[in-house]
Amino acid sequence: MTKLNQIKTIAILTGGGDAPGLNAVIRAAVRTALGRGLTVWGIKNGFGGMVENKMMQLTDESVAGILPRGGTILGTTNRDNPFNYPQTQAGAVIYTDMSARALNNLRQAGIEALIVIGGDGTIKIAGEFHQLGLPVVAVPKTIDNDIPVTERTFGFDTAVGVATDALDRLHTTAESHHRVMVLEVMGRYAGWIALHAGMAGGADCILIPEIPFNTGSVIAKIKERQQRGRQFSLIVIAEGAHALGGEISIARIVEGSHEKVRLGGIGEKLAREIEELTGMESRCTVLGHVQRGGTPTAFDRVLSTRYGVAAAQSVLAGHFGIMVSLQKNRIIRVPIADIAGKANNITPEDELLLAGRAIGVCFGD
Amino acid sequence: MTKLNQIKTIAILTGGGDAPGLNAVIRAAVRTALGRGLTVWGIKNGFGGMVENKMMQLTDESVAGILPRGGTILGTTNRDNPFNYPQTQAGAVIYTDMSARALNNLRQAGIEALIVIGGDGTIKIAGEFHQLGLPVVAVPKTIDNDIPVTERTFGFDTAVGVATDALDRLHTTAESHHRVMVLEVMGRYAGWIALHAGMAGGADCILIPEIPFNTGSVIAKIKERQQRGRQFSLIVIAEGAHALGGEISIARIVEGSHEKVRLGGIGEKLAREIEELTGMESRCTVLGHVQRGGTPTAFDRVLSTRYGVAAAQSVLAGHFGIMVSLQKNRIIRVPIADIAGKANNITPEDELLLAGRAIGVCFGD
Amino acid sequence: MTKLNQIKTIAILTGGGDAPGLNAVIRAAVRTALGRGLTVWGIKNGFGGMVENKMMQLTDESVAGILPRGGTILGTTNRDNPFNYPQTQAGAVIYTDMSARALNNLRQAGIEALIVIGGDGTIKIAGEFHQLGLPVVAVPKTIDNDIPVTERTFGFDTAVGVATDALDRLHTTAESHHRVMVLEVMGRYAGWIALHAGMAGGADCILIPEIPFNTGSVIAKIKERQQRGRQFSLIVIAEGAHALGGEISIARIVEGSHEKVRLGGIGEKLAREIEELTGMESRCTVLGHVQRGGTPTAFDRVLSTRYGVAAAQSVLAGHFGIMVSLQKNRIIRVPIADIAGKANNITPEDELLLAGRAIGVCFGD
Amino acid sequence: MTKLNQIKTIAILTGGGDAPGLNAVIRAAVRTALGRGLTVWGIKNGFGGMVENKMMQLTDESVAGILPRGGTILGTTNRDNPFNYPQTQAGAVIYTDMSARALNNLRQAGIEALIVIGGDGTIKIAGEFHQLGLPVVAVPKTIDNDIPVTERTFGFDTAVGVATDALDRLHTTAESHHRVMVLEVMGRYAGWIALHAGMAGGADCILIPEIPFNTGSVIAKIKERQQRGRQFSLIVIAEGAHALGGEISIARIVEGSHEKVRLGGIGEKLAREIEELTGMESRCTVLGHVQRGGTPTAFDRVLSTRYGVAAAQSVLAGHFGIMVSLQKNRIIRVPIADIAGKANNITPEDELLLAGRAIGVCFGD
């Protein structure tokens, strides 16, 4: 960790996909920094704005009223990497290293340190800039809660809330109409949203990327419920979940012949399989982007504020090359280097997973 | 209209798809009828339960606490028609007229009149029973608001609310990420949900079944916004909307070769087309069943209660063969026969459609 | 009604208390007017800003993103009347007629017509300016839905929704804890919020200003429920409801001796009386300002948009001296003069009131 | 800690005030216990039901669908202590020790162990029964989050969410109308709800029982904001907050003369004081019971489920005399004896309190 004092001017940047709470982090970092006499710039549209020199000064006025708003006032993109920057020349896109230009832009503006709010990819780039001498503090951002060494990321609680609301709505229809309702939620590599929303919404099966599922187990669960007089079932499935072996066959054939067409995802495939194997009407809903926008929950606003304050305080303390992180419910600082190559997945010993097993939830295994 | 007095025992039945407010209608009808000394039965699982003789008595206790709950305590199905009733014999499904058996079941139970809550199909069957001498009162039910001679059906306000919440969430992401967000909502033949949610959520384009859309108009709207510095657009599209001519071409090819596979709907196709033609990231969200379940809004609970009371009062007044209906904000009674073959579609003179045009919404024409 | 054509520049003003949907009205009026080539000014802080000459130009940019936001971007006040305008001179507040100055300010800015969004008092002042030759179009605004000749005002649906949510929350506690829960809602002269929220939230008693209540009837209802095994009751009371005769005695003594101190309102008094007379724990919640702020419901956003478009279209059509109004679910125009001295109260024949009686709600009579 | 094995029959009881999540705890404990072959009884209406022998068997069916519902299916009361049990004899209430009768009732029903869900008082009684030989497991319940040795109690997140929603609504009105809005929230001894909701809702001042407030500091904050052009302020105050010295004088005189009358609380008093000292319109809203009822947030449903599973597993493991507790985000078991005489208050070093100070929130000191 680098130590620097006497920093007078900083910038903030948001990168990657949307997550409710981004504005709350910005507000907290800006207000903390301004309160200690710093000048704060916002870099627009992620790392692209650093290359293109698009900035706006952030004052107390800039961050007024943004706490409850989704999105980011700075704009963002999840495409531009200054170390491999796309440029259109003579009709073709070529990629060049524009990191020196990006650094120079900051230098020209008198910016001495950078707070970067983003996911895996964004933080990796932040680490590379740190290696080049730019003092950097990172704030982890992911809806999926899959960033390592931090227990809970902002936006996750909101996503879980949206998915749970959806489950509550599907529940009444499933029950009245004797249906199997499948809800596909976000989570490519980690099943945190599915696990939490499934437990909160009373799902009968929760299928996550960490546990390849056996369609037979899901069918058995549905039938066991039928025998107890429950003529419906609720299933939550993470978009990244996958079946063991060759069970979801109908879908695979289609997929094989049209690989480039985005067909229905795993949830749709599972619903079709269930309908075929049980004869019960089955429907799939894919929540998609609704999970990652809009006003954050109170929990996420508080968590975002804590992250934002902690990031600014790390700058003020002269600690750089770190990511602020939540561990055992406290915000700590961990070296950016420490998170490389790690993941945050649900383990077989996860307490909530075990609680699910205790109350009879089927995890497809 | 038949007139009957001295009715002592009635039954209630819910048919067709789910709609928030079904329980509120049941509660209001039951409480009104019990308050006037009637005995009330509930027929389970729609017309199927009438054939299979599945009933439960409905008391004040049965309807306690159900006002805010989605679904229907009676259960429902959108498949069973007693006049053409499916039965499995020797492995094959054959269809028979079981209407006499159904009527006999009611007679055995002493049921003298029937309140039927359902959509087009359900009300048509109710009308046929009425022809056979069963005194019937119908309550219109459709999320899509497309039942003729009634201005507003219960459940519609809730569906619009859910879709509007989704738009609010997509809005912040679209704005921060410079995206085109497409939201596909319910509405096969009528675009009411799309029109109302689009207007409530500030959509830039609203595409409805009543107006075949020109993709070029949509693209022009998106580009006109870009030129004014708005790097994002929100589009609401009804599931039953369709493009003029041959514009949505990519999707059609795929569909041609795999007709039986439910591919992405019109929203997904439009998003792909927009991305290709504008170069802007475009995403589609399909709300699906989330729109038709769960707790009804206050508006829908009030409307449902009005319908339920009016239905029971029509029974008490001895007026049968009618559907209760909302016209000019008052509940009236219209002969079931009068609704046959009619539809409730958005006309070119619709006030809200014209209001949309006045504020610059693109309707694809 | 005055007719004027060729108007080029207009202004908009919001007056009186807050109501969800004000911004949606502004947005719709501005977009409609801009779309037809007008220049639009916003007058800040109600009629006070007209006297003090505080204005801002309203562009497409000014109204971007305000549709879902509560409050008004123009600011407002419910105190300043230009015809009787408060000014501090030598420590004392004196009141003068500043209407000429207010008119002159508009004239200087080239403003030829004014859209006024406000309640009774605000519209009355608008009418006086119209008499003085300023072309005026009014838009009715009241949470309480008590403006005459218009069926439904924007903000009302949101207020009812907030009150219904509160009832849903109180319901579960009342039921689990065997309590009487009293919810006091807005409505000084008209009981619309109480009636609609009470019906939507399943209240056992609904007490409104239009029907002076007999505490004995309320107690009888609570006891009748107890005898049927319902150990709890929910009561909604409008702030302007009042008891017949001398029943709410404890409270009155206190009030007599400390008239200037705002004691608990009618809801608190009723809760104390019920606890004393039934021995059941009784609690009162006063929702207050939570009912009139925040994001509007989808219904209110649509209604506000309709009002805003209609107001601008009335200006474009050269019809002034009118208020846009909702009648039989259509927006029409009525002369401002026609609303003077009228009220919009719940009548004994009101359909929803009668529906309440039909399902056994006690109205205190 | 007592260790017992071979337990076959247990009971569950809920005591004290309402908290969203009670049903979710019951459901999780019942399903966990049933899944391991136990028989489970529910004791109705808290410890009163133990004395009066009111019980119901809890099956899988009993807990179906209760996860999202507020309240408790078992009923509860916050008045009855079996060790000092109220009974009416000859018109007078006398208190007797009925603990032996209560224990005998359990014994007769074959109940070998008891899960008690409740607050301080309830858990204290549970501890006394444990001393008398009844194997007991306690689950902490408090909206206020003020139970010692547990970081987060269920229901707290929901209460904070409700209060934050209210702040969001008040915010828009305050801003549009240039007002000071005071929101009084629950928290007699601990300011957790005020702190979290205040931080989530962007309050300018947060006043908590742990920090006696100086009205002058609050006024200074409001004026400092006015000077920066912010014509409004938001204040969150816990019901148990109190002013230093003699500042809130108007109210105190009234209170002195009518001690038994519940006057407006501290929030109302503060609002009046602010209005008098700043001349700004100030309004107070008291959320009251709305904070502790209704459907729990997803977070609280997950937390409740974890508590319920952990309680049942402690029974299955034969560990009694303990309370399940959340520490460093894990559920552990602590001896009931260890919590006696302790509290969970906000300390000056609390991270969120310090974050509030960093972003400029006034805590009244």
Side-chain angles (χ1 to χ4, degrees):
Chain A
M1 287 185 243
T2 323
K3 282 219 179 198
L4 286 174
N5 288 312
Q6 310 295 59
I7 290 226
K8 294 286 179 223
T9 303
I10 66 170
I12 300 183
L13 169 162
T14 50
D18 203 7
L22 280 168
N23 278 328
V25 178
I26 294 169
R27 171 182 176 268
V30 168
R31 289 179 67 157
T32 303
L34 293 179
R36 295 284 292 272
L38 301 195
T39 297
V40 187
W41 289 87
I43 296 173
K44 302 198 75 168
N45 303 331
F47 282 116
M50 196 165 147
V51 173
E52 310 292 347
N53 206 14
K54 291 192 181 156
M55 302 186 197
M56 59 194 282
Q57 199 176 336
L58 295 176
T59 64
D60 203 60
E61 194 65 29
S62 322
V63 297
I66 68 172
L67 176 60
R69 298 209 187 130
T72 155
I73 56 168
L74 297 176
T76 175
T77 163
N78 44 12
R79 291 195 285 202
D80 299 337
N81 177 356
F83 294 91
N84 195 26
Y85 197 74
Q87 278 181 301
T88 311
Q89 288 190 357
V93 176
I94 59 157
Y95 290 84
T96 353
D97 183 346
M98 303 292 274
S99 58
R101 178 164 146 193
L103 281 172
N104 195 48
N105 285 336
L106 294 200
R107 215 171 290 128
Q108 296 291 327
I111 292 162
E112 300 156 283
L114 183 65
I115 293 175
V116 171
I117 311 166
D120 269 7
T122 302
I123 292 178
K124 189 161 170 290
I125 296 170
E128 292 175 37
F129 276 119
H130 186 74
Q131 297 295 327
L132 295 180
L134 176 68
V136 163
V137 168
V139 179
K141 176 206 66 66
T142 158
I143 282 293
D144 297 344
N145 202 40
D146 62 354
I147 287 187
V149 303
T150 191
E151 277 166 8
R152 187 60 53 95
T153 48
F154 65 88
F156 174 73
D157 188 66
T158 304
V160 170
V162 168
T164 302
D165 281 354
L167 270 179
D168 283 355
R169 292 201 173 273
L170 297 176
H171 192 147
T172 64
T173 299
E175 190 170 359
S176 301
H177 288 66
H178 317 311
R179 276 187 187 156
V180 177
M181 288 292 196
V182 177
L183 180 70
E184 184 183 308
V185 298
M186 286 192 163
R188 262 182 230 173
Y189 309 110
W192 296 108
I193 293 178
L195 176 60
H196 282 251
M199 292 296 286
D204 303 299
C205 300
I206 300 174
L207 306 175
I208 57 178
E210 291 90 340
I211 305 178
F213 68 87
N214 190 319
T215 308
S217 304
V218 176
I219 301 294
K221 177 73 185 174
I222 295 167
K223 292 194 167 163
E224 175 256 329
R225 283 177 55 80
Q226 272 188 311
Q227 280 157 11
R228 284 188 290 126
R230 305 281 169 79
Q231 302 298 327
F232 70 101
S233 287
L234 282 180
I235 296 172
V236 177
I237 186 166
E239 60 183 323
H242 52 278
L244 273 173
E247 289 153 301
I248 304 234
S249 51
I250 310 164
R252 202 169 328 103
I253 295 165
V254 179
E255 211 169 26
S257 57
H258 284 281
E259 281 182 6
K260 283 180 188 168
V261 176
R262 258 182 279 154
L263 288 174
I266 184 72
E268 183 62 33
K269 293 170 195 168
L270 180 63
R272 275 185 258 156
E273 184 103 347
I274 290 171
E275 188 159 318
E276 192 165 283
L277 295 176
T278 66
M280 292 176 72
E281 275 193 297
S282 303
R283 295 284 179 276
C284 176
T285 297
V286 183
L287 272 187
H289 289 272
V290 174
Q291 291 162 90
R292 49 165 71 250
T295 193
T297 58
F299 182 96
D300 273 337
R301 298 190 205 172
V302 165
L303 183 58
S304 299
T305 299
R306 290 167 69 190
Y307 275 124
V309 168
Q313 285 178 337
S314 192
V315 169
L316 290 161
H319 284 107
F320 297 101
I322 61 96
M323 179 180 87
V324 289
S325 164
L326 188 77
Q327 283 186 15
K328 296 184 179 167
N329 206 22
R330 299 200 62 79
I331 302 273
I332 61 161
R333 301 168 189 162
V334 294
I336 289 177
D338 284 12
I339 66 169
K342 289 183 191 157
N344 178 22
N345 285 102
I346 299 170
T347 62
E349 298 78 31
D350 182 82
E351 191 206 295
L352 189 57
L353 180 79
L354 294 176
R357 295 196 189 279
I359 62 170
V361 173
C362 164
F363 288 94
D365 53 356
Chain B
M1 283 184 244
T2 322
K3 282 216 177 201
L4 288 174
N5 288 312
Q6 310 295 61
I7 290 229
K8 295 285 180 221
T9 304
I10 65 170
I12 300 182
L13 168 162
T14 50
D18 204 8
L22 280 169
N23 279 328
V25 178
I26 295 169
R27 170 181 176 267
V30 169
R31 289 179 66 158
T32 302
L34 293 181
R36 294 284 290 274
L38 301 194
T39 298
V40 188
W41 290 87
I43 295 174
K44 303 200 74 168
N45 305 328
F47 282 114
M50 197 166 147
V51 174
E52 311 292 346
N53 206 13
K54 291 190 180 157
M55 304 185 195
M56 58 195 282
Q57 199 178 336
L58 295 176
T59 63
D60 203 62
E61 194 66 30
S62 319
V63 299
I66 70 172
L67 176 59
R69 297 210 187 128
T72 154
I73 56 167
L74 297 177
T76 175
T77 163
N78 44 12
R79 291 193 286 200
D80 299 337
N81 178 354
F83 294 91
N84 196 25
Y85 197 74
Q87 278 180 299
T88 310
Q89 287 189 358
V93 176
I94 59 158
Y95 290 84
T96 352
D97 183 347
M98 303 291 274
S99 56
R101 176 163 147 190
L103 282 172
N104 195 48
N105 286 335
L106 293 200
R107 215 170 293 130
Q108 296 291 328
I111 293 163
E112 299 156 283
L114 182 65
I115 294 176
V116 169
I117 312 166
D120 270 5
T122 302
I123 292 178
K124 190 162 169 291
I125 297 170
E128 293 174 36
F129 275 118
H130 185 73
Q131 297 295 327
L132 295 180
L134 177 68
V136 162
V137 168
V139 179
K141 177 209 63 68
T142 156
I143 282 294
D144 297 345
N145 203 41
D146 62 355
I147 286 188
V149 304
T150 191
E151 279 165 8
R152 188 59 53 92
T153 47
F154 65 88
F156 174 72
D157 188 67
T158 305
V160 169
V162 168
T164 303
D165 282 353
L167 270 179
D168 283 355
R169 293 201 171 272
L170 296 176
H171 192 150
T172 64
T173 299
E175 189 170 2
S176 300
H177 288 67
H178 316 310
R179 277 187 185 156
V180 178
M181 288 292 195
V182 177
L183 181 70
E184 183 184 310
V185 299
M186 285 191 164
R188 261 182 231 173
Y189 310 109
W192 296 108
I193 292 178
L195 176 60
H196 281 250
M199 292 297 285
D204 303 300
C205 301
I206 300 173
L207 307 175
I208 58 179
E210 290 89 342
I211 305 177
F213 67 89
N214 190 320
T215 309
S217 304
V218 176
I219 301 294
K221 177 72 184 175
I222 294 168
K223 289 194 169 161
E224 177 256 330
R225 283 177 54 80
Q226 271 188 312
Q227 278 157 14
R228 285 188 289 126
R230 305 281 170 81
Q231 303 297 326
F232 71 99
S233 287
L234 282 182
I235 296 170
V236 176
I237 186 166
E239 60 183 324
H242 51 278
L244 275 171
E247 289 153 303
I248 305 235
S249 51
I250 310 164
R252 203 170 326 104
I253 295 166
V254 178
E255 213 168 24
S257 57
H258 284 281
E259 281 182 8
K260 284 181 188 166
V261 176
R262 257 181 278 156
L263 288 174
I266 184 71
E268 182 64 33
K269 292 169 193 168
L270 179 64
R272 276 185 256 158
E273 184 103 344
I274 291 171
E275 188 159 319
E276 193 165 280
L277 296 174
T278 65
M280 291 175 73
E281 274 193 298
S282 302
R283 296 284 181 274
C284 175
T285 297
V286 183
L287 271 188
H289 289 272
V290 173
Q291 289 161 92
R292 51 164 70 250
T295 193
T297 58
F299 182 96
D300 273 337
R301 298 190 204 172
V302 166
L303 182 57
S304 300
T305 299
R306 291 168 68 191
Y307 275 124
V309 169
Q313 286 178 336
S314 193
V315 168
L316 290 162
H319 284 108
F320 297 100
I322 59 98
M323 179 180 86
V324 289
S325 165
L326 188 76
Q327 283 187 19
K328 297 185 180 167
N329 206 23
R330 296 201 63 77
I331 302 274
I332 59 161
R333 300 169 191 163
V334 294
I336 288 177
D338 284 13
I339 66 169
K342 290 186 190 156
N344 177 21
N345 283 104
I346 300 170
T347 63
E349 299 77 31
D350 181 82
E351 191 207 294
L352 189 57
L353 181 78
L354 294 176
R357 295 198 190 277
I359 61 169
V361 172
C362 164
F363 288 94
D365 52 357
Chain C
M1 286 185 242
T2 322
K3 280 216 178 203
L4 288 173
N5 287 311
Q6 310 295 62
I7 290 225
K8 294 285 179 225
T9 304
I10 65 168
I12 300 182
L13 168 163
T14 48
D18 204 7
L22 280 168
N23 278 328
V25 178
I26 295 169
R27 170 181 177 269
V30 168
R31 290 180 65 159
T32 302
L34 293 180
R36 294 284 291 275
L38 301 195
T39 298
V40 188
W41 290 86
I43 296 174
K44 304 200 70 169
N45 303 329
F47 282 114
M50 196 167 148
V51 174
E52 311 292 347
N53 206 13
K54 291 190 179 155
M55 303 185 196
M56 57 195 283
Q57 200 178 334
L58 294 176
T59 63
D60 203 62
E61 194 66 31
S62 320
V63 299
I66 70 171
L67 176 59
R69 296 211 187 128
T72 154
I73 57 166
L74 297 176
T76 175
T77 162
N78 43 12
R79 291 194 286 199
D80 299 338
N81 177 354
F83 294 91
N84 195 26
Y85 197 73
Q87 278 181 301
T88 310
Q89 287 190 0
V93 176
I94 60 160
Y95 290 85
T96 353
D97 183 346
M98 304 291 275
S99 57
R101 177 163 145 193
L103 282 172
N104 195 48
N105 286 334
L106 293 200
R107 214 170 291 130
Q108 295 290 327
I111 294 162
E112 299 156 284
L114 182 66
I115 294 175
V116 170
I117 312 164
D120 270 6
T122 301
I123 292 178
K124 190 162 169 288
I125 296 170
E128 293 175 34
F129 275 118
H130 185 72
Q131 296 296 327
L132 294 180
L134 176 69
V136 163
V137 168
V139 179
K141 176 207 65 64
T142 157
I143 283 293
D144 296 345
N145 203 41
D146 61 355
I147 288 188
V149 303
T150 192
E151 278 166 7
R152 188 59 54 94
T153 47
F154 65 86
F156 174 73
D157 188 66
T158 305
V160 169
V162 168
T164 302
D165 282 353
L167 270 179
D168 283 355
R169 292 201 171 272
L170 296 176
H171 192 147
T172 62
T173 299
E175 190 169 0
S176 301
H177 288 67
H178 317 310
R179 277 188 186 155
V180 177
M181 288 292 196
V182 177
L183 180 70
E184 183 184 308
V185 300
M186 284 191 166
R188 264 184 227 170
Y189 309 110
W192 296 108
I193 293 179
L195 177 60
H196 281 252
M199 291 296 287
D204 303 298
C205 301
I206 300 175
L207 306 175
I208 57 178
E210 291 88 343
I211 305 177
F213 67 88
N214 190 320
T215 309
S217 303
V218 176
I219 301 294
K221 177 72 183 175
I222 295 168
K223 289 193 170 165
E224 176 257 329
R225 284 177 54 80
Q226 271 188 312
Q227 278 158 14
R228 283 189 290 126
R230 304 280 170 80
Q231 304 296 327
F232 71 99
S233 287
L234 282 181
I235 296 171
V236 177
I237 186 165
E239 59 182 326
H242 52 278
L244 274 172
E247 289 153 302
I248 304 234
S249 51
I250 310 164
R252 202 170 328 105
I253 295 166
V254 178
E255 212 168 24
S257 57
H258 285 280
E259 282 181 9
K260 286 181 186 164
V261 176
R262 256 183 280 157
L263 288 174
I266 184 71
E268 182 63 33
K269 291 170 196 168
L270 179 63
R272 275 185 257 156
E273 184 103 344
I274 291 170
E275 188 159 319
E276 193 165 281
L277 295 174
T278 65
M280 291 176 74
E281 275 193 296
S282 303
R283 295 284 181 275
C284 175
T285 297
V286 183
L287 271 188
H289 289 271
V290 173
Q291 289 162 91
R292 49 164 73 247
T295 194
T297 57
F299 181 96
D300 273 336
R301 297 190 204 173
V302 166
L303 182 57
S304 300
T305 299
R306 290 168 68 191
Y307 275 124
V309 168
Q313 286 178 335
S314 192
V315 168
L316 290 161
H319 284 107
F320 296 101
I322 60 96
M323 180 180 86
V324 290
S325 165
L326 188 77
Q327 283 186 18
K328 295 183 179 168
N329 207 22
R330 296 200 64 79
I331 302 274
I332 61 161
R333 300 169 191 162
V334 294
I336 289 177
D338 284 12
I339 66 168
K342 289 185 191 157
N344 178 20
N345 284 103
I346 299 170
T347 63
E349 298 77 33
D350 182 83
E351 190 205 295
L352 190 57
L353 181 79
L354 293 177
R357 294 197 190 278
I359 62 169
V361 172
C362 163
F363 288 94
D365 53 356
Chain D
M1 285 186 244
T2 323
K3 283 216 177 203
L4 289 174
N5 288 313
Q6 311 293 61
I7 290 227
K8 294 285 179 223
T9 304
I10 65 169
I12 300 182
L13 168 162
T14 50
D18 203 8
L22 279 169
N23 278 329
V25 177
I26 294 168
R27 171 182 177 267
V30 167
R31 290 179 65 157
T32 303
L34 293 180
R36 294 284 291 274
L38 301 195
T39 297
V40 187
W41 290 87
I43 296 174
K44 302 199 76 167
N45 305 329
F47 282 115
M50 196 166 147
V51 174
E52 310 292 347
N53 207 14
K54 291 189 180 158
M55 304 185 195
M56 58 194 283
Q57 199 177 336
L58 295 175
T59 64
D60 204 59
E61 195 65 30
S62 322
V63 299
I66 68 172
L67 177 59
R69 297 210 186 129
T72 155
I73 55 167
L74 297 177
T76 175
T77 164
N78 43 12
R79 291 195 286 201
D80 299 338
N81 178 354
F83 293 92
N84 195 25
Y85 197 72
Q87 277 180 302
T88 310
Q89 288 191 356
V93 175
I94 58 158
Y95 291 84
T96 352
D97 184 346
M98 303 291 274
S99 57
R101 177 164 146 192
L103 282 173
N104 195 48
N105 286 335
L106 295 200
R107 214 169 293 128
Q108 296 290 328
I111 293 162
E112 299 156 283
L114 183 65
I115 294 176
V116 170
I117 312 166
D120 270 7
T122 302
I123 292 178
K124 191 163 168 289
I125 296 171
E128 292 175 36
F129 276 118
H130 185 73
Q131 296 297 326
L132 294 181
L134 176 69
V136 163
V137 168
V139 179
K141 177 207 64 67
T142 158
I143 283 293
D144 297 345
N145 203 40
D146 62 354
I147 287 187
V149 304
T150 191
E151 279 166 6
R152 189 58 53 93
T153 47
F154 65 87
F156 174 73
D157 188 66
T158 304
V160 169
V162 169
T164 302
D165 282 353
L167 270 178
D168 283 355
R169 293 202 171 271
L170 297 176
H171 191 148
T172 64
T173 299
E175 190 169 0
S176 301
H177 287 67
H178 317 311
R179 277 188 187 156
V180 178
M181 288 291 196
V182 176
L183 180 70
E184 184 184 307
V185 299
M186 284 191 166
R188 262 184 228 171
Y189 309 109
W192 295 108
I193 292 178
L195 177 60
H196 281 251
M199 292 297 286
D204 303 298
C205 300
I206 299 173
L207 307 176
I208 57 178
E210 291 88 343
I211 305 178
F213 68 88
N214 190 321
T215 308
S217 303
V218 175
I219 301 294
K221 177 72 185 176
I222 294 168
K223 291 193 168 164
E224 176 257 330
R225 282 177 55 82
Q226 273 189 311
Q227 279 158 14
R228 284 188 290 126
R230 306 281 170 80
Q231 302 298 326
F232 71 99
S233 287
L234 282 182
I235 296 172
V236 177
I237 187 166
E239 60 183 326
H242 52 278
L244 272 172
E247 288 153 302
I248 304 232
S249 50
I250 309 164
R252 203 172 321 106
I253 294 166
V254 179
E255 213 169 24
S257 58
H258 285 281
E259 282 182 8
K260 284 180 188 166
V261 177
R262 258 182 279 154
L263 290 173
I266 185 73
E268 183 62 35
K269 292 169 195 168
L270 179 64
R272 277 186 255 157
E273 184 104 345
I274 290 170
E275 189 159 319
E276 192 165 283
L277 294 175
T278 65
M280 293 176 72
E281 275 193 297
S282 302
R283 294 284 181 275
C284 176
T285 298
V286 182
L287 272 187
H289 289 272
V290 174
Q291 290 162 89
R292 51 164 73 248
T295 193
T297 58
F299 182 96
D300 273 336
R301 297 190 204 172
V302 166
L303 183 57
S304 300
T305 300
R306 290 168 69 191
Y307 275 123
V309 168
Q313 285 178 334
S314 193
V315 168
L316 290 161
H319 284 107
F320 296 100
I322 60 97
M323 179 180 88
V324 290
S325 163
L326 189 76
Q327 282 187 19
K328 296 183 179 169
N329 206 22
R330 296 200 65 78
I331 302 273
I332 60 160
R333 300 170 190 162
V334 294
I336 289 178
D338 284 13
I339 66 169
K342 288 184 192 158
N344 177 20
N345 285 102
I346 299 170
T347 63
E349 298 78 32
D350 181 83
E351 191 206 295
L352 189 57
L353 180 79
L354 293 176
R357 294 195 189 281
I359 62 170
V361 172
C362 164
F363 288 95
D365 53 357

